Amino acid sequence: MTRDVDPMHDPALDRTVSAEEAGAAPPDAGPRLRPGGKVGRYQIVEFLAGGGMGWVYRARDAELERDVAIKVVQPTAMGAQGRERLLAEARAMARLQHRAVVPVFDVGEHAGGVYVAMALLTGGTLHDWMHAAARPWREVLARFIEAGRGLVAAHAAGLVHRDFKPKNVLIGDAGEVMVADFGIASASATGSGDGGAHETSTVAGTPAYMAPEQAEGKAVDARADQYSFCVSLWEGLHGQRPQEADTRTQGPALERAPDAPKARRAVPAWLTAALVRGFASQPERRWPTMQALLDVLERGLGRRRRIALGAAGVGCVAAVAAALVAMRPAPRDPCPTPDGLTWNPVTRATIALAFRATGSQAADDTLARVVPPLRGYVRGWQARMIDSCRATHVSHTQSAELLDRRAVCLDGRRAHAAGLIATFASADRAVVADAIGAVASMPGLEACDRGDVLIARPMPSPEQRSAVAAVQRQLAHGRDLGLRGRHREALEVFEAARAAARASGWAPLHAEALEAVARTRILMFLPSDDVVDELAVEAAKAKDDARALFALVELVTKEQLHGNLDRAAALEPVLNAAILRTDGEDTLKVRAELVMAWRATAAHDDRLATERIAAAEAHAVTPALRGEVLGQRARAQRDAAAALPLFEQAQVELRRAYGESEPHVGRSYVDIANVKFRMGDVDGAEVAWRAAGAIYQGSFGDTDSPSMSDYLQLGGMIAEVRGRIDEAVSLLTRAAKVYRDMGMPESHAQAERNLANVLSNGTDDQSQAEVHYRRALEVMERARGKSSVEYADIEATFGMFLAMEDCAAGMPYLEHARPLLEAVRHPTLASLFAQLGDCAEARDPDMAARHYQAARVICTDRGCPAGMLEQLGLAQGKLLARDPATRARALAMLEDAQAGFARLGDDEAVAEVKTELARWKR
């Protein structure tokens, strides 16, 4: 069966395939997909265009809630090796980020072929634009220069396009120019398969634009793209391709190709000369690089038209001379606004649309709080890039070496900010919820101003820089996943970046990746000690004061969590020095001071704790940081009543920082609810808890988020006290599932323990309670080990559960847990001592009374659940009342317990105390 020949068709515009491909099967695009069909995770919406290699569709990415363009390339268009080559090159494109390159989001396999998911641009092609009307040469040249920048970026990343033509350049809605189909249109069954900018052999491309060496099947490099670019630009300027260029491959299939007409439009001679050199038949006669060609074109575009002097009178000479001086072209600015990070109305509008599309009630308020600092960050970055350039090239006050070092520092900031902007542009509810914190935690620009510090830091070699860029892209992807709450996936990406950064041999990059791993592990409550230790070493090598400070904060925190308060105190002088050495980074400095305040509180050094909190307040220059400091001051209070007003003041600052409907404010309501619950004000606790729930519902909808974990658990405890056991079980089950799904084992274990407590106290299903206790122990043992305080905490609870039925069964667990908990004066000791007292009552009442007293001290000192202090007073009062010498003290305890039970609304307990009082007051 033969195909019909279109007499108006120009075969020179067809895509060429290799002999192997042509012999295997025709390059058929295959059947079109129907709307509603699936390609990977994408749902087809409508057909857009295609043919030859495959079809292009509009598709919906339901996961990220955005429309994309999907190109589906059929297996018949690729040949035997083409599929793997296409996958490799498309993945390389997905790592290439440049404003003049169509972003590739994803690549995968479909029906034996390959699909590529790209940004959806609806402004047509450069071919359509330049043939729609006769355009001024400057306008045409400006658009092609922008496309050329995309080629330069690809060549720097090791990619050769090999099918550059006006139809492969797309125009966005705002007029932006982006090159498409890198390595995709050029995939073939032959060649090296690495897609590099060095030599690659393949017969693929479009004959009308193809370099001679490519048409002959010889090895090609980036100069083949330069050839195609110059032919395309000539066509844009003159409305036809140049006859001077050898653009036609030979063969009977192309003998019908018509000659192009010879008419030309007027363009400057320098531009013609530049293009003729660019499409020279021999690669070595072309411009050495695409960038060299662009430099010539950009200089020419900046020229002003000369003013011709006619036969003017003598009286006009001075005026003409003055006019010439005024019209003289200004010297080319050696330091233009840098590429790579921009902020404009389109950027802001895109982010605003994405935020509002999430349905979050905090979207507008969050936008108002993130846009100004983000815009300021971008402008600050641009200003520093320009100032640094001018200091070297204009005022000559800065060395070329320092220029390079500042550029490396600022490039890391650019990568972080560009990744955050991209995440915001496709935000979901989780991103909106954490957006303010994400902007606040961006690495400071000030560190790139310290020449003395930068000179001391190691620099990446030229060979290392491509690896650095690749790892920075990995880190940006990981941060994107983290902001979306996909912490397990984020950790996998960060771990891969950590390995690649270590392999690069550049310490600053390794430290950056280690910090990302450490932060994510800490967030997920996973062991992070080894990562933090390694980060401390690498940050010192990198002379990175901020990351060294972060590592030291975590080291001190680790020692305190393990009960090693002396070791924590020994590290504090080093931590103090790091605070003084680090510029900016107020958030880190506040954390450093607060972690030392926490150590002082644990060591019962209230004076030092107060000093440290005051030092933290000095660094708390924003409402968000002031709210954090006030919250820590509240947690340091031994008296819940003293903590409450501090938590309320913290909430005022957090509202000022985040607005009324942001999860940080929701968290402050949980803090207030928690302290009221400890005070026995269950009504007030529930009111605050429900206020937190309203904020979380507005931020996360019906999706359970890790940010809601404390909210869910506290709700379970409130519901248990209220007697709403089914609700308590439901809330705690949800909390356990969130932690399990997010890969957060320590929190998962705690939620399982709390669920077991409710089942034990509120239901008759003691066997199910035991299942959850044992599950909690298993999860915590894997996470922390049996010698950890965290394991001992759950072990003590399980021991108490068993001891309520059989003291002998529970005692081994209690005895193992007790010394571990006593080493850090853990709050669970109150319950442990209470159980020991209960078990000792029958055989040794004096010992039981001492255990109850120890429990009351812990309860008063460290806090305990609502009603527990009253229960201890009742138990100890009963024992002391038996001895006339201690009866007066016992009666006072019983009266205090009665008043406490009355506040809690526990009528049954009040009646029990009344009976006991009546018995001993006779």
Side-chain angles (χ1 to χ4, degrees), residues 7 39 44 50 97 169 267 348 375 380 392 419 427 460 484 490 514 533 567 576 585 637 647-648 714 791 864 877:
V39 175
I44 300 300
Q97 297 179 3
V169 180
V267 298
R348 197 233 184 263
R375 179 178 60 223
T392 298
R484 298 181 193 281
L514 284 167
D533 290 342
R567 292 184 190 175
N576 280 323
E585 303 296 344
Q637 301 300 310
F647 276 129
E648 290 172 339
L714 178 60
Y791 181 88
C864 56

Side-chain angles (χ1 to χ4, degrees), residues 529-724:
D529 296 357
D530 60 330
V531 183
V532 172
D533 290 342
E534 189 177 0
L535 173 57
V537 173
E538 288 300 305
K541 288 182 187 176
K543 301 295 191 292
D544 190 330
D545 294 334
R547 290 193 171 94
L549 178 57
F550 170 77
L552 283 167
V553 169
E554 294 307 323
L555 286 172
V556 173
T557 302
K558 175 190 72 173
E559 297 297 350
Q560 292 177 183
L561 286 173
H562 293 176
N564 302 322
L565 297 185
D566 291 341
R567 292 184 190 175
L571 285 170
E572 288 185 7
V574 184
L575 190 54
N576 280 323
I579 293 172
L580 295 173
R581 192 170 57 245
T582 304
D583 284 338
E585 303 296 344
D586 290 317
T587 300
L588 269 178
K589 290 179 178 179
V590 166
R591 283 202 60 213
E593 296 290 357
L594 291 182
V595 79
M596 289 188 284
W598 175 25
R599 200 276 307 168
T601 299
H604 302 284
D605 190 340
D606 293 342
R607 180 192 59 78
L608 181 59
T610 301
E611 290 177 1
R612 288 300 186 191
I613 291 175
E617 287 175 334
H619 296 296
V621 296
T622 66
L625 290 177
R626 287 195 292 272
E628 184 175 347
V629 172
L630 283 165
Q632 183 61 30
R633 187 184 287 278
R635 294 180 191 96
Q637 301 300 310
R638 302 186 187 281
D639 181 4
L644 181 59
L646 293 171
F647 276 129
E648 290 172 339
Q649 292 174 40
Q651 187 179 83
V652 171
E653 294 291 348
L654 292 171
R655 282 176 172 169
R656 190 173 297 150
Y658 299 110
E660 297 292 331
S661 305
E662 209 267 350
H664 282 85
V665 178
R667 168 70 214 199
S668 74
Y669 273 115
V670 173
D671 285 332
I672 291 171
N674 195 25
V675 75
K676 286 187 175 183
F677 187 75
R678 285 167 51 202
M679 294 169 63
D681 182 4
V682 181
D683 289 340
E686 188 159 9
V687 169
W689 180 79
R690 294 194 182 280
I695 292 175
Y696 287 143
Q697 176 66 30
S699 296
F700 303 114
D702 295 326
T703 302
D704 287 338
S705 163
S707 300
M708 299 171 62
S709 57
D710 289 343
Y711 163 79
L712 292 171
Q713 295 205 60
L714 178 60
M717 290 187 286
I718 291 173
E720 181 187 16
V721 171
R722 293 294 200 194
R724 303 192 301 263

Side-chain angles (χ1 to χ4, degrees), residues 149-206:
R149 291 190 180 115
L151 287 177
V152 169
H155 296 164
L159 294 170
V160 180
H161 195 296
R162 292 171 298 188
D163 196 24
F164 182 89
K165 58 187 177 184
K167 285 188 176 181
N168 278 343
V169 180
L170 305 182
I171 299 176
D173 296 338
E176 63 272 29
V177 175
M178 295 187 183
V179 184
D181 276 1
F182 278 93
I184 298 167
S186 60
S188 75
T190 62
S192 64
D194 60 6
H198 54 283
E199 294 187 352
T200 304
S201 174
T202 178
V203 183
T206 304

Side-chain angles (χ1 to χ4, degrees), residues 393-406:
H393 296 300
V394 179
S395 66
H396 306 291
T397 57
Q398 176 179 271
S399 67
E401 179 189 5
L402 188 52
L403 170 68
D404 196 25
R405 288 177 177 274
R406 290 189 70 186

Side-chain angles (χ1 to χ4, degrees), residues 840-855:
E841 273 197 24
R843 56 183 174 79
D844 191 342
D846 290 340
M847 176 64 73
R850 288 196 294 273
H851 284 317
Y852 288 139
Q853 179 59 28

Side-chain angles (χ1 to χ4, degrees), residues 111-126:
V114 172
Y115 71 85
V116 182
M118 301 169 283
L120 180 65
L121 302 178
T122 58
T125 69
L126 187 57

